[in-house]
């Protein structure tokens, strides 16, 4: 019975071939495309839409375009292959094809088996995912191995915690072949993921497995033409069903699955396959020998992700690879109304700029007026301050002169007078106490010398240059210290050589601080600490006295003002920390000149 059907099919084709033959014209190119899929398969849909246009445009002449389909489910049967060969022979025996395009490995295998009987003189342009060499003479093609691993790696990137992979495959012949290839390629990853193959299940059983999947799972859909119960399906319609029942993201390996609920994958782009074959066919149709064109290896896979499915499954868009295609993104308000938004923004920005310019001009004018008023106030304040300081300096000068005069009169002058009396007595020949008078005169002379030395030192400590800052401050500590007042002095990394101005300034400031502590603080302990570094010299004077109101003390005398003025003259700073009843701490910072910083450090 099957043989009779085959003969009838051949006779029907023979009649069709007789009708088609007269239409052939010598100037037209004849092309036959041989598929091994259903007519509604995506590769056939894409090729029938794109390939005729590509060939027509490339040739610039009219084209006779034929298509035939091989039933791949029946292809293993010898009787079917024989009947198909007879059918094609009778149908096209009077047609000489300028190119025969084999769209798959099965189409190419059929041509290899029937080469002597069919299209013997026609060049063949083929697509293969398995062969590495051309199968016979007068042929060329495109080789693109199918990559099933890329989709798994993309899923692992989009789902960093991925732990379970469920591979879905049908029970059909083609389903099983693809399932075996997927298992082979994914085998190295079985130790990294828990991979379970759901092959050839009845649809109801598959639904029961996919609906309660554990967390961190994915579904890898390969193809289902037929389920375990023998029911035949369109693979894309079956994919739609799986997406509805599954509780985990679905991925696939071919671009026909996009817009059917899959998240995406490293997808074989069938349009690229058609374009590659079309370009090779054009070269052959233009006269190039098929054998002179090497078989080209192409990567037809492109990573694609459905933006809608990312949102559905809560997957982060930031994890999508930069070179992946992010498809079906919903148009934002900017995408829809960009021109209107830009126009309105330009107007608003222009008006805003004008308003801002006017406000800035107004602000600058007011700022200038405020600066002018502030400058006048500062000038008045500076004038008052200078006048006040001048008066205080005159008063301080007169006070200091009076103090020096008292010391000269009450101490040195009195001792000089007594010394003169002693010397007068020594001149008398009848004096009986020469030895005692001589000793008293010598002692009085030494006392006068000490008083003159102390007075001179207070006026200007010349020994600073000789003994250095550290020794001078240590000597100052001993001079000012009393039984009821303990003064400690510590130092670290202080250069031995410092400029005279810096040395005198620091010495005077410490002298003033210690004298204030002695006179006013009632302190029992005063700590002086000095430390040198590459950035400068820091010094602190801290006491446990009564403290004072810093803000209120600035206008009371010249001590604090003179300390600040001295430090500012050499670029230093002064900070006074004190509150009534809590002691006082004076912090000083002085920058060092390059020569000071480079000098040796004193111990």
């Amino acid at each position: 019975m099957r043989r009779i059907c085959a003969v009838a099919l051949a006779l029907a084709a023979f009649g069709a071939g007789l009708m088609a033959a007269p239409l052939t014209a010598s100037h037209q190119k004849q092309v036959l495309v041989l598929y091994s899929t259903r007519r509604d398969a995506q590769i056939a849909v894409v090729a029938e839409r794109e390939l005729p246009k590509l060939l027509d445009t490339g040739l610039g002449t009219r084209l006779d375009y034929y298509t035939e389909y091989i039933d791949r489910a029946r292809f293993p049967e010898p009787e079917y292959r024989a009947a198909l060969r007879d059918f094609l022979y009778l149908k096209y025996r009077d047609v000489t094809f300028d190119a025969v395009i084999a769209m798959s490995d099965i189409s190419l295998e059929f041509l290899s088996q029937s080469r002597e009987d069919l299209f013997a003189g026609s060049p063949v342009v083929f697509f293969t995912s398995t062969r590495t060499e051309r199968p016979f003479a007068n042929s060329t093609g495109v080789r693109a191995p199918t990559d099933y691993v890329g989709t798994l790696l993309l899923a692992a990137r989009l789902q960093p915690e991925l732990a379970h992979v469920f591979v879905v495959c049908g029970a059909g012949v083609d389903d099983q072949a693809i399932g075996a290839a997927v298992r082979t390629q994914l085998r190295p990853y079985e130790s990294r993921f828990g991979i379970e193959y759901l092959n050839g299940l009845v649809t109801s059983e598959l639904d029961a497995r996919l609906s309660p999947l554990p967390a961190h799972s994915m579904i890898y859909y390969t193809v289902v033409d037929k389920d375990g119960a023998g029911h035949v399906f369109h693979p894309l319609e079956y994919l739609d069903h799986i997406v509805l029942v599954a509780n985990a993201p679905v991925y696939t390996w071919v671009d026909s699955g996009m817009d059917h609920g899959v998240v995406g994958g490293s997808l074989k782009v069938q349009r690229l396959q058609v374009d590659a074959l079309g370009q090779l066919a054009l070269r052959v149709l233009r006269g190039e020998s098929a054998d002179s064109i090497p078989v080209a290896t192409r990567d037809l896979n492109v990573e694609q992700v459905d933006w809608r499915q990312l949102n559905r499954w809560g997957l982060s868009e930031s994890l999508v690879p930069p070179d992946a295609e992010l498809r079906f993104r919903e148009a934002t308000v900017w995408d829809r109304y960009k021109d209107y938004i830009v126009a309105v923004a330009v107007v608003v920005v222009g008006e805003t700029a004008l308003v801002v310019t006017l406000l800035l001009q107004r602000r600058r004018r007011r700022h200038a007026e405020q600066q002018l008023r502030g400058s006048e106030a500062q000038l008045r304040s500076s004038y008052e301050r200078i006048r006040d300081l001048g008066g205080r300096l005159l008063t301080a000068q007169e006070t200091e002169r009076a103090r020096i005069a008292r010391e000269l009169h009450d101490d040195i002058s009195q001792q000089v007078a007594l010394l003169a009396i002693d010397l007068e007595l020594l001149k008398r020949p009848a004096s009986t106490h020469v030895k005692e008078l001589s000793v008293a005169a010598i002692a009085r002379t030494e006392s006068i010398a000490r008083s003159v030395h102390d007075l001179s030192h207070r006026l200007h400590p010349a020994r600073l240059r000789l003994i250095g800052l550290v020794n001078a401050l240590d000597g100052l500590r001993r001079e000012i210290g009393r039984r009821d007042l303990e003064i400690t002095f510590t130092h670290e990394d202080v250069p031995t050589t410092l400029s005279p101005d810096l040395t005198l300034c620091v010495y005077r400031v410490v002298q003033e601080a210690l004298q204030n502590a002695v006179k006013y603080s009632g302190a029992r302990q005063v700590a002086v600490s000095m430390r040198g570094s590459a950035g400068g010299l820091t010094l602190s004077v801290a006491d446990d006295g009564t403290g004072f109101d810093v803000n209120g003390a600035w206008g009371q005398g010249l001590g604090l003002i003179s300390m600040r003025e001295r430090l500012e003259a050499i670029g230093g700073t002064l900070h006074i920390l004190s509150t009534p009843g809590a002691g006082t701490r004076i912090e000083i910072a002085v920058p060092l000149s390059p020569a000071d910083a480079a000098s040796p450090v004193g111990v």
Side-chain angles (χ1 to χ4, degrees), residues 24-86:
T24 303
S26 59
H27 65 280
Q28 290 181 310
K29 298 293 184 180
Q30 314 292 321
V31 174
L32 172 65
V33 181
L34 194 58
Y35 296 94
S36 61
T37 63
R38 302 160 42 141
R39 292 179 181 271
D40 58 355
Q42 192 67 14
I43 183 63
V45 173
V46 174
E48 291 304 292
R49 183 182 67 237
E50 302 294 334
L51 191 55
K53 294 189 296 184
L54 190 153
L55 297 178
D56 276 334
T57 303
L59 292 174
T61 60
R62 294 189 60 186
L63 174 72
D64 286 339
Y65 182 88
Y66 304 86
T67 57
E68 296 294 342
Y69 295 86
I70 300 173
D71 186 347
R72 63 191 310 158
R74 298 176 57 193
F75 182 76
E77 302 173 6
E79 292 182 354
Y80 173 77
R81 293 197 300 271
L84 178 62
R85 181 178 61 251
D86 294 341

Side-chain angles (χ1 to χ4, degrees), residues 402-415:
R403 185 183 66 80
I404 295 173
R406 282 196 305 272
E407 290 190 12
L408 290 174
H409 179 270
D410 297 340
D411 183 14
I412 298 175
S413 295
Q414 296 295 333
Q415 294 189 52

Side-chain angles (χ1 to χ4, degrees), residues 137-183:
N138 199 17
S139 65
T140 187
V142 175
R143 177 179 179 271
T146 304
D147 175 24
Y148 298 109
V149 174
T151 291
L152 177 61
L153 297 181
L154 176 63
R157 178 164 181 167
L158 297 178
Q159 298 176 240
E161 299 180 357
L162 180 64
H164 309 285
V165 178
F166 297 89
V167 182
V168 175
C169 186
V173 175
D174 191 42
D175 303 351
Q176 295 175 6
I178 293 177
V182 172
R183 184 187 291 267

